[in-house]
Amino acid sequence: MGTYFTTFYKYKYLLYVLVERDIKKKYRRSVLGVLWSMLNPLLMMIITVMVFSTLFRFDVENYVLYLLVGQVAFTFFSEATSFAMGSILENSALIKKVYMPKYLFPFSRVMSSCMNLVFTLPAILVIMIYTGQIPTWKTLAFIFPLLLMLIFCLGIGLILSACVVYFRDMFHLYRVLISALNYATPIFYPESIIPPEYRFLLDYNPLYYFIKGFREVIYSGGLPHMDTVGICFGLALASVLVGIIVFRKAQNKFILYL
Amino acid sequence: MAEKIIEVDHVTMKFNLMEEKVDTLKEYIVKLIKGKLMYNEFVALKDVSFSIEKGEAFGLVGFNGAGKSTMLKVLAGVLKPTEGQVIVRGNIAPLIEVGAGFDPELTAMENVFLNGAILGHNKAFLQEHFNAIIDFAELRDFINVPVKNFSSGMYSRLGFAIATEVRPDILIVDEVLSVGDYQFQQKCEQRITQMMEAGTTIILVSHDIHTVEKICNTVAWLEHGKLRDIGEAGRICNEYQKH
């Protein structure tokens, strides 16, 4: 176990460089650069709010903030996991040539998506103030669902990045899955519209709990419930454990399939 | 007797060379049902043992498909041998196909840090050595240019400069001395000699038997995955040429 930590320590600068590279590449040559991380959710917000407050109306108080929280959290999940999925394949040239801990690639991708999320925080703050949900010290508790979701994404990212090496179809399959998940999670609709017989769609949807955690803090302005945090903790732990096991088992044979 | 820096102990490397590469789930299932998922075993290295002493310049020769690249990958730790083991006492800087660690979108400066980090170095070390790397590569005027705009010569100069600046215990050089112009080749050879004097172990793979003969002291000759002969450079190179 000790050697794992020493290798990780040795390569922590590589992790930093990889995250930095992703962010730099994302905004290279764009005039506004990192500002886009803030502008993007704001502009998307305006569009979705226009669509949903005129075309489809839901009876939700402070709908703008409700939607924003759900959307930002979901985007983080879908971006982090999809981005992590291709990490091993895209770095195949490197993996074939130089030894390094391979989990660094999915790890770095999830981290850079998390950085993107952090950049959108000012946008969320602006919307909070604008909609009258004034942030307090309690708002800082969003860090709990955020950290747990990060760990959850890491686990999923590890699983996906390892599986896709063997089955490239995962890319296409996962895109469909993400869009199904987008509708199955109460992002733009209130969970009350789900009829009781379809309630299982929420109960078995991990994202539901993470988004619930975020909403309890940012939208309702309180602390997250212990129940929510507990479930999120369990999900995160399970995901990262399975991720590590799958990835470790698969990684020695990556090179033969790249 | 000098210290053994690398010990290769009865290494066998087998691949499951499938008839065709199965890339998709559908193909996989179809083949599985048809029973066609045959594992066509291919032995790339067969019971190879040798050791390399510290400070030695070790050459690997052999025809195409003899297992040279596989051997290098095993030494670099990229491939795990199916049987046997490799003991490496020191850090290795691989120089296999220069520029493998480059991101074409990033500038030369950013790539120095990326590549250095891949080789396991930290920021402070790279900042300290940054100027020396750029000067050796003669790319001072191009540090802010994305490397996708570089010529292949510039590419390999930068790669060589990074890998050798870090003064590894072991340097793996695979056919890279043939790139770049004559002047730069001279510079590279000079640097390799310097590194050897400083105690770095060099592992060189090349089809150019004259380079091998000039640089190496010991040469191993691989043939069909087996170690055909190993010994003093002049003798092996002579026999290899006659073959």
Side-chain angles (χ1 to χ4, degrees):
Chain A
M1 205 60 198
T3 53
Y4 281 108
F5 285 111
T6 38
T7 4
F8 183 73
Y9 188 76
K10 183 180 170 197
Y11 283 100
K12 77 175 188 328
Y13 179 59
L14 177 57
L15 184 68
Y16 171 81
V17 173
L18 288 174
V19 173
E20 190 187 47
R21 165 175 83 158
D22 287 337
I23 293 169
K24 270 189 187 153
K25 272 172 81 174
K26 189 165 175 183
Y27 298 111
R28 175 137 295 173
R29 290 194 176 202
S30 68
V31 183
L32 293 178
V34 171
L35 265 182
W36 274 114
S37 279
M38 268 173 267
L39 278 177
N40 231 330
L42 281 176
L43 296 176
M44 289 299 287
M45 209 55 238
I46 293 170
I47 295 169
T48 3
V49 166
M50 276 191 326
V51 171
F52 285 104
S53 52
T54 51
L55 288 174
F56 311 97
R57 294 199 62 106
F58 294 108
D59 192 20
V60 179
E61 192 196 339
N62 195 355
Y63 184 64
V64 177
L65 193 59
Y66 181 85
L67 181 63
L68 181 75
V69 174
Q71 215 170 37
V72 165
F74 188 84
T75 311
F76 169 52
F77 173 79
S78 76
E79 195 189 285
T81 50
S82 318
F83 198 37
M85 180 158 57
S87 61
I88 297 290
L89 282 183
E90 280 153 38
N91 287 297
S92 61
L94 211 54
I95 291 171
K96 281 187 196 168
K97 304 282 146 51
V98 190
Y99 170 78
M100 75 201 78
K102 296 175 195 59
Y103 61 79
L104 283 177
F105 294 111
F107 193 8
S108 70
R109 293 269 172 105
V110 172
M111 289 308 286
S112 45
S113 298
C114 185
M115 286 310 292
N116 273 329
L117 175 69
V118 171
F119 293 141
T120 65
L121 290 180
I124 298 180
L125 216 60
V126 168
I127 301 263
M128 278 178 85
I129 294 167
Y130 177 74
T131 57
Q133 178 67 261
I134 306 299
T136 62
W137 283 111
K138 280 187 196 165
T139 314
L140 286 176
F142 79 94
I143 202 92
F144 293 110
L146 178 65
L147 274 180
L148 292 172
M149 195 167 188
L150 177 71
I151 297 169
F152 180 73
C153 290
L154 192 62
I156 303 286
L158 283 172
I159 298 171
L160 289 173
S161 65
C163 289
V164 83
V165 173
Y166 301 101
F167 301 118
R168 310 281 157 111
D169 302 46
M170 283 293 283
F171 274 121
H172 309 283
L173 209 64
Y174 193 64
R175 216 177 298 157
V176 179
L177 193 75
I178 279 286
S179 114
L181 215 52
N182 191 15
Y183 288 106
T185 314
I187 294 166
F188 56 84
Y189 57 82
E191 56 175 284
S192 56
I193 68 161
I194 301 273
E197 63 267 35
Y198 288 112
R199 178 73 206 177
F200 68 90
L201 277 177
L202 300 187
D203 291 343
Y204 295 110
N205 180 354
L207 289 182
Y208 165 67
Y209 299 101
F210 289 106
I211 289 177
K212 197 170 154 193
F214 277 112
R215 281 195 180 132
E216 280 164 0
V217 178
I218 294 170
Y219 172 71
S220 313
L223 292 174
H225 288 295
M226 278 331 273
D227 295 357
T228 322
V229 174
I231 294 173
C232 290
F233 182 79
L235 286 167
L237 195 68
S239 145
V240 85
L241 280 180
V242 173
I244 290 172
I245 293 168
V246 169
F247 196 83
R248 279 192 53 150
K249 236 182 118 137
Q251 64 175 353
N252 287 335
K253 287 195 172 171
F254 279 167
I255 188 165
L256 308 176
Y257 291 85
L258 288 174
Chain B
M1 201 168 148
E3 190 191 338
K4 288 194 174 91
I5 195 157
I6 294 182
E7 277 177 70
V8 177
D9 185 22
H10 298 282
V11 163
T12 296
M13 189 71 223
K14 287 177 189 161
F15 290 113
N16 289 331
L17 261 199
M18 280 173 249
E19 290 282 354
E20 298 151 64
K21 222 174 163 186
V22 187
D23 264 341
T24 65
L25 186 62
K26 190 183 137 204
E27 260 181 70
Y28 188 83
I29 291 169
V30 169
K31 294 219 164 153
L32 198 69
I33 293 166
K34 286 185 180 164
K36 269 197 181 164
L37 207 66
M38 303 261 278
Y39 290 110
N40 201 347
E41 212 169 60
F42 173 76
V43 184
L45 290 174
K46 201 170 178 185
D47 199 25
V48 178
S49 302
F50 59 84
S51 59
I52 301 175
E53 281 166 24
K54 195 168 189 300
E56 200 174 21
F58 189 86
L60 270 176
V61 295
F63 299 112
N64 285 331
K68 299 189 300 289
S69 307
T70 312
M71 193 68 239
L72 284 188
K73 283 180 181 168
V74 171
L75 290 178
V78 174
L79 274 176
K80 259 196 182 168
T82 321
E83 284 162 38
Q85 61 170 339
V86 176
I87 301 167
V88 178
R89 299 187 180 94
N91 66 321
I92 292 194
L95 203 67
I96 322 173
E97 275 171 49
V98 189
F102 287 159
D103 189 314
E105 295 291 324
L106 298 182
T107 66
M109 177 158 41
E110 289 160 345
N111 266 307
V112 168
F113 285 91
L114 175 66
N115 219 307
I118 288 166
L119 295 174
H121 297 284
N122 59 32
K123 193 175 187 170
F125 180 91
L126 289 168
Q127 271 168 343
E128 196 186 314
H129 290 266
F130 179 74
N131 283 324
I133 292 171
I134 292 297
D135 288 337
F136 185 83
E138 299 164 18
L139 292 171
R140 175 66 55 194
D141 300 335
F142 304 96
I143 47 176
N144 290 318
V145 177
V147 298
K148 66 179 172 189
N149 298 333
F150 275 20
S151 71
S152 58
M154 288 157 96
Y155 236 87
S156 45
R157 261 148 55 194
L158 189 59
F160 187 87
I162 298 170
T164 53
E165 180 62 33
V166 300
R167 304 282 149 151
D169 301 326
I170 304 156
L171 178 72
I172 296 182
V173 187
D174 184 5
E175 292 285 3
V176 279
L177 297 179
S178 48
V179 285
D181 53 22
Y182 181 72
Q183 209 191 344
F184 192 74
Q185 273 182 38
Q186 294 268 299
K187 212 168 150 185
C188 291
E189 279 179 29
Q190 227 174 45
R191 184 157 222 187
I192 288 184
T193 323
Q194 261 175 29
M195 288 172 79
M196 280 167 64
E197 279 161 9
T200 301
T201 309
I202 312 276
I203 301 171
L204 175 73
V205 171
S206 180
H207 283 289
D208 179 12
I209 197 80
H210 299 291
T211 315
V212 176
E213 202 171 349
K214 198 161 72 183
I215 295 179
C216 302
N217 342 103
T218 313
V219 174
W221 179 359
L222 287 174
E223 196 178 62
H224 303 301
K226 277 181 253 175
L227 190 65
R228 181 175 159 135
D229 207 350
I230 181 166
E232 190 259 321
R235 181 177 66 85
I236 302 277
C237 289
N238 228 330
E239 276 176 42
Y240 180 73
Q241 267 170 313
K242 272 190 245 159
H243 190 70

